[in-house]
Amino acid sequence: MSSKRRRTTFLLLSLLIVAAMVVNACGGGDTEPEAAEAPQEEAAPAAAEAETTDEDSKEAMMDVDLSPTEYPEPQLIVGSREVQKLPLDQILTYKALDSYSEPDWVSELVAEGALPPVEERLPVEPRVILESGMADGIGVYGGVWRDFSACPTEGYNRGAGQSAGWFGIEAAAFASLLKSGPIYRRSDSLEPLPYLAKSWEWSEDGFELTMNLIEGAKWSDGHPFTTEDVLFTWEDMIVDSNVQSPKGASAWVFDGEMTQLEVIDDYTFKFVYPVAFPVQSLFQMDEGDFHLSPAHILKPLHPKYNSEMDYVDFEAAMPPDQTPVVLGEFVPVEYITDELMILRRNPYYWGVDEAGNQLPYLDEVVFEKGPSGVGRTLSTLAGSADHSNLENPSTFIETLKRAEEDDAHFYVEWGPETLGFSIKLNLSTSLGVKDDRDTAIRQLFRDVRFRKALSFALDRDGISQSILRGPFLRGWAGGLFPGSSYFDRSTVAYHNNNPEAAAALLADLGFEDTDGDGILNWPADRLASGENLVLALVTSEDAEETQTVGDAAVTLLGDLGVQINVRPLNSAARREMNEAGEWELRVDRDSQTFAVPFTRCRELAPIEREFSFHREGSEPRELLDFEQELVDIALAFCVEPDTDVRRDLMAEYNRISTENVHFVGVFVGRYGLAAAKRFKNVPAGMPVFMYNWTWENVMPEQVWVDPAEQIDQLRPGVIPTYESE
Ligand code: CA
């Protein structure tokens, strides 16, 4: 058992490492989405009904408690703080202040004529970060944030699909209409925060959404930002199918019809939708989706307006060795391929603090470049980087040990529980079904008693501890992640670690070891051959934790007489398997659908034909009653503008999902943040990954460093400059 456990631990750690690498992949921030869903029909008709006439088994069934247990509160990890949730109007506002200030060295540049005065650089009503929302209060100027990027910088034409290097570079340099990252801080709503769009209103019928831009904001070269940029971004980047925008026109198609964008004036425009209240489209206006591109720079280079350009040239029109015109807090001013990128404060940034100090507080950001994401943690441990996201439990202990040493320059804090693994059951009655055995297995999976038996069989805390000792991982019932803003613990039906109940349910389903070989046999009325109950469980070669879960399932279900054969597959083979529906059980690393359900509402239930574990093939999908309920809830949720109603819908969703064991959650963990101790105003309990990653979540413009702790800047006194000016 102990050698088994050690092996399990090793496998899980490897899995988590690989999973972390997948997250860090340069292709974009997203993890593979695998939604879960599994309804089970009628709740087990009490055991007595069954054909099992065996007196003992009947007795046993009546004595066994089959009810779910209460899902426990999370264990708080030492050193972690709760998120201090506030209404938006205590975090930020938009208003004119009596006076504005800037760093002294910037004032000197103004005096020299290199920049207009700060009042002229700022909008009429700047975005004001309020002191009531700051963890450490109004800051002082100066300081550097040193970070790490393991992705190449292709260029800065992000709207045409180029990558600036990820790892926070995009978040630092670019700005969007809205901002999703800090939603975790809001107590009033689960909507994105205003950013360059300061407010928005739905028409009464929900078909029009009017967006109000901040007035008088400027690009980093001083050119005004207006609806001309929005219209260019829309028509010539997003809608133009020749441009590989991060999110294309299809994201704006509802019921087969395209959304329209109409400009009203320099600072006002509206979306006209084909459906009422497609509220989730607000999440397509944040970083990486609606990438605001500078019309005054890119329009003259766009093939539609410039016959000398083609789309390949256009994509490369903002090369990495030229200072880009951007809207973010920091501007890349220097890039040495594969070595480092230096970003300096944007003197035209359109945000201030309540005292009128133009933000950001920091003067400089430096990204060291390296070949692999692990480098970020290593550099943080070594003291040369100021931030890492801990996504890989195998590095947790080493990082924590280092953080506890007196001379460590960083601290570690844990975010919400949104790193989850689960077992899915194939609920399709037809896709991939080739023989009687397949038919019997799918019918078995569609019986809630079997899903509960599988869930009861798992000792989730044992599995969690075998992966990583301590409070980092714990059991998960399935349904929403405990770290989701929509999660309500009271809605969880937790069928955990009750082998007796699992055995009773299997007996109630008619399974009995008729030939005494230790494995349960199928009852003849389910599968005429009466063969042993043997199930195939697919794990992932690319995510070794799934193999550890598989190993645990072999042991725990084996003890109950269910033989599990584990089969690890690579991601390409898994994709093919999923498409063909030729699988029985599978272990997944779950997507962020269960953390931020609203942004991925159509993945919550079998709405799309491709739904993760109840895929539709050539024959119509036969939804179980509870699956249909989940579909109805998800569809209502997608278009529900009221946050409170959305919460109620998700409470119901989670209750139905876990009562029916839609899928079998196994364990959930947290991502950790390692950040420099000298950084002030990092929000308490900030998740490194929720709606977005650290750099979006932290609101970097508000981070500051006490002058006594500031480290030397690489390019003091430098501001971005542009040849064409
Ligand atoms: Ca047997």
Side-chain angles (χ1 to χ4, degrees):
M1 181 64 192
S2 75
S3 81
K4 174 87 183 169
R5 174 157 287 195
R6 275 197 299 275
R7 181 161 162 265
T8 302
T9 306
F10 169 74
L11 285 173
L12 271 169
L13 290 176
S14 320
L15 255 173
L16 287 166
I17 290 169
V18 177
M21 289 170 69
V22 169
V23 170
N24 278 341
C26 298
D30 224 340
T31 56
E32 89 180 16
E34 303 238 357
E37 186 115 354
Q40 186 74 355
E41 222 112 284
E42 35 294 66
E49 229 46 81
E51 215 46 31
T52 348
T53 48
D54 183 276
E55 285 302 313
D56 292 342
S57 142
K58 220 173 185 177
E59 272 312 89
M61 191 68 187
M62 292 170 72
D63 289 344
V64 175
D65 184 0
L66 299 176
S67 53
T69 48
E70 187 183 345
Y71 187 60
E73 297 265 17
Q75 255 186 290
L76 209 61
I77 302 180
V78 176
S80 285
R81 298 168 297 171
E82 289 293 315
V83 175
Q84 303 298 308
K85 295 196 182 201
L86 294 170
L88 180 65
D89 61 10
Q90 290 182 39
I91 299 173
L92 62 88
T93 190
Y94 292 77
K95 65 177 176 185
L97 299 176
D98 294 340
S99 65
Y100 299 103
S101 48
E102 63 197 347
D104 290 341
W105 65 269
V106 177
S107 297
E108 286 168 24
L109 291 170
V110 173
E112 290 166 15
L115 280 174
V118 64
E119 300 78 16
E120 291 174 24
R121 303 196 308 268
L122 285 167
V124 184
E125 293 184 331
R127 186 174 189 261
V128 184
I129 306 292
L130 300 172
E131 194 171 1
S132 50
M134 290 176 164
D136 301 298
I138 301 278
V140 293
Y141 285 122
V144 183
W145 178 322
R146 302 165 306 166
D147 217 305
F148 185 97
S149 155
C151 292
T153 296
E154 297 168 329
Y156 301 107
N157 197 356
R158 174 86 189 106
Q162 283 199 317
S163 163
W166 300 113
F167 284 78
I169 295 171
E170 271 81 355
F174 302 140
S176 41
L177 291 169
L178 307 181
K179 204 169 178 73
S180 296
I183 293 175
Y184 72 93
R185 298 187 57 194
R186 290 186 75 161
S187 61
D188 56 333
S189 158
L190 292 176
E191 281 189 351
L193 285 73
Y195 206 32
L196 278 155
K198 61 180 182 180
S199 60
W200 54 93
E201 301 103 39
W202 290 95
S203 62
E204 216 160 289
D205 64 6
F207 284 86
E208 292 188 3
L209 178 63
T210 301
M211 308 291 300
N212 306 302
L213 298 181
I214 187 168
E215 294 184 24
K218 295 180 173 66
W219 291 89
S220 57
D221 61 354
H223 192 93
F225 164 72
T226 67
T227 46
E228 192 190 343
D229 299 299
V230 174
L231 188 65
F232 172 71
T233 297
W234 177 259
E235 282 185 349
D236 298 324
M237 306 293 282
I238 292 174
V239 176
D240 185 339
S241 58
N242 298 302
V243 176
Q244 302 302 311
S245 40
K247 204 157 239 180
S250 65
W252 296 89
V253 171
F254 296 90
D255 283 357
E257 213 181 311
M258 182 63 187
T259 301
Q260 303 298 314
L261 187 151
E262 292 175 15
V263 167
I264 295 166
D265 60 36
D266 277 358
Y267 302 110
T268 319
F269 67 98
K270 67 181 178 184
F271 291 103
V272 181
Y273 294 103
V275 296
F277 294 113
V279 196
Q280 80 273 22
S281 74
L282 289 172
F283 289 88
Q284 293 171 193
M285 300 177 205
D286 56 5
E287 194 248 339
D289 295 327
F290 198 109
H291 181 83
L292 292 169
S293 298
H296 68 291
I297 300 292
L298 288 176
K299 202 168 177 176
L301 300 173
H302 193 287
K304 187 167 141 190
Y305 309 99
N306 184 334
S307 59
E308 287 170 25
M309 294 288 288
D310 62 25
Y311 283 94
V312 175
D313 297 335
F314 177 67
E315 185 181 319
M318 296 177 79
D321 58 349
Q322 281 177 26
T323 299
V325 172
V326 295
L327 287 164
E329 297 91 334
F330 300 95
V331 185
V333 296
E334 205 171 320
Y335 175 57
I336 305 172
T337 305
D338 296 340
E339 285 185 31
L340 88 167
M341 178 186 289
I342 301 171
L343 300 92
R344 297 286 300 172
R345 60 178 301 117
N346 175 359
Y348 287 94
Y349 187 67
W350 31 275
V352 301
D353 69 16
E354 227 172 334
N357 298 302
Q358 187 188 26
L359 299 173
Y361 292 121
L362 297 173
D363 281 337
E364 188 174 279
V365 175
V366 179
F367 279 87
E368 176 191 351
K369 288 277 187 172
S372 141
V374 176
R376 181 168 58 183
T377 298
L378 296 177
S379 292
T380 301
L381 290 176
S384 60
D386 294 321
H387 148 241
S388 191
N389 297 337
L390 305 179
E391 306 158 33
N392 173 358
S394 70
T395 64
F396 286 3
I397 297 298
E398 190 189 356
T399 310
L400 278 174
K401 271 191 192 155
R402 177 71 188 111
E404 280 162 13
E405 290 169 15
D406 289 340
D407 64 340
H409 79 297
F410 69 94
Y411 66 95
V412 170
E413 188 162 76
W414 301 93
E417 298 174 302
T418 58
L419 178 61
F421 288 80
S422 66
I423 298 175
K424 303 286 166 34
L425 302 90
N426 191 339
L427 295 180
S428 173
T429 53
S430 56
L431 187 66
V433 172
K434 294 188 298 272
D435 54 28
D436 289 351
R437 182 181 164 279
D438 289 340
T439 303
I441 284 175
R442 303 298 175 84
Q443 290 304 331
L444 182 63
F445 288 176
R446 289 164 64 90
D447 190 316
V448 72
R449 289 172 293 176
F450 183 76
R451 293 197 304 274
K452 281 185 184 171
L454 187 50
S455 187
F456 273 135
L458 299 183
D459 169 10
R460 291 172 171 79
D461 293 322
I463 295 171
S464 301
Q465 290 302 305
S466 77
I467 297 164
L468 187 63
R469 282 201 175 283
F472 304 106
L473 310 175
R474 66 161 173 151
W476 173 44
L480 299 178
F481 286 141
S484 170
S485 301
Y486 286 97
F487 179 78
D488 174 350
R489 195 170 61 91
S490 72
T491 63
V492 178
Y494 196 34
H495 305 92
N496 182 45
N497 193 24
N498 187 345
E500 231 191 351
L505 287 163
L506 289 166
D508 189 42
L509 286 158
F511 289 96
E512 190 186 345
D513 182 13
T514 48
D515 51 9
D517 67 352
I519 302 168
L520 297 172
N521 294 73
W522 283 88
D525 59 343
R526 287 181 174 269
L527 185 58
S529 67
E531 64 192 59
N532 279 341
L533 176 57
V534 181
L535 299 171
L537 173 70
V538 170
T539 59
S540 171
E541 279 179 2
D542 306 331
E544 300 227 8
E545 307 94 324
T546 64
Q547 298 179 33
T548 313
V549 170
D551 288 349
V554 169
T555 305
L556 296 166
L557 286 157
D559 289 347
L560 293 165
V562 180
Q563 185 180 325
I564 300 289
N565 292 338
V566 175
R567 188 171 161 224
L569 293 179
N570 65 31
S571 54
R574 270 176 69 104
R575 201 176 314 116
E576 273 176 40
M577 165 197 95
N578 288 334
E579 283 165 11
E582 291 175 359
W583 60 281
E584 293 167 9
L585 300 168
R586 122 192 146 205
V587 185
D588 289 341
R589 178 188 203 213
D590 284 289
S591 79
Q592 292 304 297
T593 303
F594 303 122
V596 289
F598 194 57
T599 61
R600 299 175 146 191
C601 55
R602 294 178 74 85
E603 295 170 17
L604 286 166
I607 296 170
E608 309 292 352
R609 289 171 55 91
E610 297 79 17
F611 179 75
S612 165
F613 54 91
H614 193 166
R615 199 179 171 98
E616 190 160 54
S618 52
E619 291 171 49
R621 180 163 51 196
E622 298 175 63
L623 292 183
L624 294 161
D625 291 347
F626 88 90
E627 287 183 288
Q628 187 59 55
E629 286 179 62
L630 294 179
V631 166
D632 295 343
I633 290 172
L635 289 174
F637 179 66
C638 285
V639 293
E640 176 51 60
D642 186 306
T643 297
D644 289 335
V645 179
R646 289 210 298 264
R647 282 187 206 279
D648 292 345
L649 286 166
M650 279 302 97
E652 188 62 2
Y653 171 89
N654 204 51
R655 186 186 65 73
I656 293 171
S657 174
T658 58
E659 277 181 0
N660 290 282
V661 195
H662 188 198
F663 65 99
V664 181
V666 181
F667 72 90
V668 66
R670 302 164 186 269
Y671 294 88
L673 168 73
K677 289 176 182 168
R678 67 177 195 281
F679 286 173
K680 308 276 195 221
N681 274 355
V682 175
M686 184 189 79
V688 304
F689 183 40
M690 190 85 187
Y691 292 89
N692 212 313
W693 294 90
T694 298
W695 268 89
E696 280 285 313
N697 301 350
V698 72
M699 298 169 57
E701 69 271 30
Q702 68 174 356
V703 173
W704 58 278
V705 179
D706 190 298
E709 296 181 89
Q710 291 179 3
I711 58 175
D712 289 345
Q713 302 176 25
L714 294 181
R715 298 292 178 267
V718 169
I719 55 164
T721 51
Y722 300 91
E723 283 171 21
S724 58
E725 279 188 282

